[in-house]
Amino acid sequence: MKKIVDLIIEELKPAFTGCGYDEKFIRVTLSNRPDLCEYQCNGAMAAAKAYKKKPIDIANELVEQLKDSSMFSEINAVMPGFINIRLNPEYLAGYVNRMASDEKYGLEEAKDPETIIVDYGGANVAKPLHVGHLRAAVIGESIKRICRYMGHKTIGDVHLGDWGLQMGLIIEELHDRQPELVYFDETFQGEYPEEAPFTISELEEIYPTASAKAKEKTEAGEAFKERAQEATFKLQNGYKPYRAIWNHIMNVSLADLKKNYDNLKVYFDLWKGESDAQPYIPGLINDLIEKGLAYESEGALVVDVAQEGDAKEYPPCIVRKSDGASLYATSDLATIIEREKEYQPDRYIYVVDKRQELHFVQVFRVAKKAGIVKEDTQMIFLGFGTMNSKEGGPFKTRDGGVMRLEQLIRDINGEVYKKIQEKQKVPENEMERTAEIIGLAALKYGDLSNQATKDYVFDVERFISFEGNTGPHIQYMIVRIKSILEKYEELKGKDAERQPIRPAQSVSEKELQLELCRFGEIIETAFAETAPHKICQYMADLADAFNNFYLENKIIAEEDACKQASFISLITLTKEILDTCMDLLGMESPEHM
């Protein structure tokens, strides 16, 4: 199905060409003054300069041509040259009914589906997920779902941090604690144990202890750091005992990470990490040298990325340090080589802290300069802002530490549980699960409703409110619709046939239909702009439109059976679209609230 805006443009084309104006000047937008009109065309304003006429004169000519259109109930020219449009309720109802019978509610899927890699998550193994991992996870998951809904082949990759100095630190701390382990016996010839010599809790305590040791400005601290660097080097060069420890670290960490991501309803297709890219690094370095792109600077190997017309200075990208070690840029470029080999993506989307922008500008430019990706491959860096406390700084625990993500989720669920206990509308056996569903929506919507690039304040009280622009408020509207539909089913039976939605006969009825019409356009925009917050705003607008309609109409008490059946079809479509939007954001709604 075409978007309703595109259908309005098609209706306007004969008028423009018939009056001698180029159709390229047609521009139709949703009105920001619904009291005056529903849609507005400013084509006359755009054409005035080209045709050396007053905009209002052009607008009047066009309106005269369109006055008998069956699409419009009202079309007027207003100063200084806008064309105000209201849709015919019959036309609008016809469009909404076609939406209701369409699998994707009028959304036109991509005509040429792309292969898209969404790189998000970015967790480090051996470390617990904390609040700093929240934004990458929920924004990336939503973008992946939006891409898929648009019909693109979309692959989500967590891209784990699993190959750096942290591994050497863990190995040496383990060595200090349990020197008797076979991994540290150079004479050992057998098979290494299948069971890890640590639990996830022990592992998560080992790393910070080791990291603190290595940062000590003492002889012992320097010595420990050197040992860790040596262990990292041996691991990366295939030393079997350390590879065995690394495998234990990966197995224990991945099980815990998957559990925590599952709790967030965040799911990855690939669980690859920096280690998977390592085999590609030697070839990458040789290729950059052979192509004359890489050169030595102060002992390091670098590639220039500055381009003519840059508004600011971009330093060269370092691909190998003076000591021969690789960097994150090297690993990210090698990862792109691997992805090109396995998937040949048309588009890359990286969901990462916005403070990493320079790094990704450098990586993307080297990738294109070296021919690792095609020149027309889209490489998008979606840098997100920070989640701050109400006091203004980064969100932390009461004692100033970084809060674990599972603790944050537990805290929110606990607050929601208290709230639904007070309302006493949820059956006792559903309360815990309901609190989890509402708590997750509160958390995700609180994040996703903000433009990703902006910082935002994490306010639990506001996020869990059942009123205002919140996830729980939208869930409450969905639950209200479910309740109405259940009562209608009790009255009419389960097999009651869905009736067509009638032409609107009230302002609230028409406004709800108009909001429903925007679904396809919103999803397209959210995809094109990698902007989940657009869907959040749409959900809020649609929920408000439903609420206004609900308050004006006694749906279950309605005596006119045809009118009632139309209302039921209208709110059923509303629920289906809200549910779809919720799913695109990685949320769901409970049965009761």
Side-chain angles (χ1 to χ4, degrees):
M1 279 179 68
K2 291 184 179 177
K3 299 189 294 293
I4 204 156
V5 168
D6 293 336
L7 292 170
I8 294 171
I9 290 170
E10 283 185 8
E11 187 76 3
L12 296 180
K13 280 180 183 178
F16 268 76
T17 55
C19 291
Y21 304 120
D22 196 314
E23 63 185 43
K24 71 179 182 182
F25 292 109
I26 305 174
R27 296 170 192 169
V28 175
T29 58
L30 188 72
S31 172
N32 59 8
R33 287 288 306 275
D35 54 318
L36 299 178
C37 60
E38 294 156 0
Y39 290 88
Q40 191 171 74
C41 173
N42 62 0
M45 303 287 288
K49 188 175 181 181
Y51 293 96
K52 296 180 173 54
K53 287 186 175 183
K54 291 180 182 178
I56 191 64
D57 291 343
I58 295 175
N60 279 321
E61 283 182 69
L62 295 168
V63 166
E64 182 62 27
Q65 292 284 320
L66 293 160
K67 65 182 182 181
D68 296 326
S69 168
S70 61
M71 180 183 278
F72 311 129
S73 62
E74 192 179 321
I75 183 163
N76 298 310
V78 296
M79 291 293 289
F82 296 114
I83 298 172
N84 288 351
I85 296 168
R86 290 192 187 276
L87 294 178
N88 184 324
E90 288 191 8
Y91 180 88
L92 179 60
Y95 186 88
V96 175
N97 280 308
R98 290 198 301 278
M99 279 181 66
S101 61
D102 187 77
E103 185 183 357
K104 290 196 173 177
Y105 309 108
L107 174 76
E108 284 190 285
E109 286 192 352
K111 291 182 177 63
D112 300 304
E114 299 177 12
T115 297
I116 301 174
I117 295 273
V118 185
D119 183 316
Y120 67 110
N124 291 309
V125 299
K127 300 180 187 178
L129 291 179
H130 56 74
V131 292
H133 293 108
L134 177 68
R135 300 213 73 192
V138 301
I139 296 168
E141 179 69 17
S142 177
I143 287 168
K144 181 192 74 179
R145 292 176 182 226
I146 294 166
C147 292
R148 282 189 181 154
Y149 197 74
M150 285 294 299
H152 299 291
K153 178 186 175 183
T154 311
I155 302 153
D157 187 356
V158 68
H159 195 64
L160 297 164
D162 66 350
W163 202 238
L165 179 61
Q166 79 213 56
M167 294 302 166
L169 290 168
I170 292 167
I171 289 167
E172 285 306 314
E173 178 63 18
L174 190 64
H175 188 183
D176 286 354
R177 294 182 182 203
Q178 300 182 63
E180 74 283 358
L181 291 173
V182 294
Y183 313 98
F184 307 118
D185 179 358
E186 293 182 6
T187 64
F188 183 75
Q189 297 294 321
E191 292 293 320
Y192 292 104
E194 290 186 13
E195 191 172 335
F198 41 70
T199 63
I200 185 63
S201 300
E202 289 167 340
L203 183 59
E204 288 176 356
E205 187 272 326
I206 287 170
Y207 174 71
T209 302
S211 181
K213 263 192 199 180
K215 289 174 184 173
E216 288 176 10
K217 302 297 182 185
T218 63
E219 192 174 324
E222 291 296 327
F224 183 78
K225 186 176 180 181
E226 282 183 25
R227 283 168 50 202
Q229 289 170 335
E230 176 64 19
T232 304
F233 179 79
K234 289 172 80 170
L235 167 67
Q236 294 179 352
N237 282 275
Y239 184 53
K240 283 188 177 181
Y242 291 178
R243 279 294 181 109
I245 295 174
W246 179 81
N247 284 326
H248 289 317
I249 294 170
M250 293 298 293
N251 291 336
V252 170
S253 284
L254 284 179
D256 188 65
L257 285 171
K258 286 178 179 178
K259 180 193 76 175
N260 280 284
Y261 278 124
D262 281 353
N263 289 340
L264 270 178
K265 287 179 71 70
V266 170
Y267 310 108
F268 298 97
D269 304 292
L270 302 177
W271 285 85
K272 295 205 172 193
E274 293 162 350
S275 59
D276 292 285
Q278 299 311 298
Y280 298 91
I281 288 179
L284 164 68
I285 298 297
N286 289 337
D287 189 49
L288 293 173
I289 293 170
E290 286 174 8
K291 287 179 176 173
L293 298 174
Y295 63 93
E296 277 202 19
S297 175
E298 298 178 19
L301 197 67
V302 304
V303 178
D304 287 329
V305 297
Q307 295 176 356
E308 191 176 339
D310 283 341
K312 60 182 179 181
E313 198 172 315
Y314 288 105
C317 178
I318 303 172
V319 293
R320 190 175 67 198
K321 293 200 296 185
S322 56
D323 63 2
S326 300
L327 295 97
Y328 284 124
T330 328
S331 177
D332 281 336
L333 286 164
T335 298
I336 294 171
I337 292 171
E338 182 188 29
R339 289 169 175 168
E340 286 293 318
K341 178 185 173 185
E342 295 187 2
Y343 303 105
Q344 301 88 48
D346 303 290
R347 184 185 306 227
Y348 290 85
I349 303 173
Y350 288 77
V351 184
V352 189
D353 189 310
K354 67 182 178 184
R355 290 170 290 190
Q356 297 295 316
E357 182 176 11
L358 172 60
H359 167 82
F360 282 98
V361 168
Q362 291 177 317
V363 168
F364 294 169
R365 288 188 176 187
V366 173
K368 292 203 171 181
K369 197 171 183 179
I372 297 169
V373 300
K374 295 174 186 173
E375 190 57 42
D376 61 352
T377 300
Q378 289 196 61
M379 304 194 83
I380 299 165
F381 170 71
L382 181 59
F384 54 79
T386 56
M387 185 175 96
N388 297 321
S389 67
K390 286 193 279 187
E391 289 70 39
F395 192 86
K396 293 184 179 293
T397 58
R398 289 179 184 174
D399 61 4
V402 177
M403 182 178 282
R404 291 178 68 137
L405 195 49
E406 60 185 329
Q407 183 60 52
L408 179 68
I409 293 171
R410 273 199 300 268
D411 288 351
I412 286 183
N413 290 352
E415 293 299 317
V416 173
Y417 191 87
K418 289 180 200 171
K419 205 175 185 74
I420 59 179
Q421 263 188 324
E422 291 168 7
K423 289 186 174 289
Q424 297 184 337
K425 290 187 177 179
V426 177
E428 194 169 339
N429 64 335
E430 293 180 21
M431 286 179 70
E432 191 171 332
R433 178 63 185 139
T434 300
E436 289 173 0
I437 293 171
I438 298 172
L440 188 59
L443 183 67
K444 285 192 166 187
Y445 192 92
D447 188 301
L448 292 169
S449 56
N450 300 279
Q451 189 171 337
T453 54
K454 293 182 179 178
D455 300 346
Y456 77 96
V457 174
F458 189 86
D459 184 343
V460 174
E461 288 180 18
R462 181 169 68 83
F463 289 177
I464 67 172
S465 173
F466 286 16
E467 297 174 356
N469 185 15
T470 69
H473 170 69
I474 292 164
Q475 288 176 313
Y476 189 68
M477 292 297 108
I478 295 172
V479 169
R480 177 172 277 171
I481 296 173
K482 285 180 181 178
S483 175
I484 296 169
L485 296 179
E486 283 172 8
K487 289 175 183 173
Y488 184 76
E489 191 178 281
E490 287 172 10
L491 289 171
K492 303 292 182 180
K494 287 185 178 181
D495 300 323
E497 191 176 340
R498 190 161 165 174
Q499 298 298 312
I501 295 165
R502 69 174 190 166
Q505 294 177 24
S506 70
V507 171
S508 67
E509 190 176 1
K510 192 175 188 188
E511 285 179 350
L512 179 53
Q513 292 182 17
L514 286 165
E515 278 298 333
L516 290 167
C517 286
R518 294 176 57 216
F519 172 74
E521 182 182 357
I522 292 296
I523 304 305
E524 280 187 27
T525 303
F527 167 72
E529 298 179 13
T530 50
H533 72 279
K534 301 269 185 180
I535 297 178
C536 290
Q537 187 55 59
Y538 173 67
M539 289 167 70
D541 292 343
L542 181 56
D544 286 347
F546 161 72
N547 197 41
N548 291 337
F549 171 77
Y550 168 79
L551 293 173
E552 283 188 16
N553 296 279
K554 306 298 181 188
I555 301 171
I556 294 301
E558 175 57 55
E559 294 180 359
D560 183 327
C562 290
K563 184 177 178 181
Q564 184 185 50
S566 169
F567 285 173
I568 291 296
S569 294
L570 181 60
I571 66 169
T572 298
L573 179 59
T574 303
K575 174 190 165 296
E576 288 171 358
I577 287 181
L578 284 173
D579 279 338
T580 300
C581 289
M582 292 285 278
D583 186 63
L584 290 173
L585 299 178
M587 300 182 268
E588 60 185 315
S589 58
E591 292 304 310
H592 305 96
M593 280 181 78

